[in-house]
Amino acid sequence: MRGTGRSGSFLFCLLINMLLNPEWIIPAAILLALHFLPGWSVWWAVLALGVWIIGIILWMCFVGWAGRCGNVPEPPKENRNPYSSGKYPANGRDPGETAG
């Protein structure tokens, strides 16, 4: 597979992932609203936001690791083709045979 010309930085990828996964910020927003209305601690909202960001970072690390696993080059194998020109220097003919 052809690679892109840009190598994305970690923070850029994190921001894109945060934009693509906004549903996980809903618990943090609800807990923040509960901080202002009944007076709950703001740390619950910060904790929910931190769990969301840590979850995205762990997912990015997992996907990056899985992508690197498939890119391991295979070692070269021995050519076992009996008709290979490397085994027979004169294109598969006997060395004493003339072209004619």
Side-chain angles (χ1 to χ4, degrees):
M1 178 185 279
R2 183 178 159 232
T4 61
R6 292 177 54 182
S7 60
S9 68
F10 182 79
L11 291 178
F12 179 71
C13 292
L14 179 64
L15 289 175
I16 294 297
N17 275 318
M18 289 171 69
L19 288 174
L20 293 175
N21 296 311
E23 66 272 1
W24 287 99
I25 202 167
I26 294 172
I30 291 172
L31 288 170
L32 188 63
L34 288 174
H35 165 69
F36 287 115
L37 296 176
W40 285 20
S41 175
V42 75
W43 290 110
W44 292 111
V46 172
L47 179 68
L49 189 65
V51 167
W52 175 57
I53 292 173
I54 289 173
I56 289 176
I57 290 172
L58 289 175
W59 181 251
M60 285 174 47
C61 291
F62 173 74
V63 169
W65 170 78
R68 285 189 304 272
C69 286
N71 291 333
V72 177
E74 292 186 21
K77 297 179 182 177
E78 178 186 353
N79 187 1
R80 294 185 178 178
N81 185 356
Y83 302 107
S84 174
S85 63
K87 191 171 186 178
Y88 302 103
N91 292 332
R93 295 188 299 257
D94 289 332
E97 188 177 327
T98 60

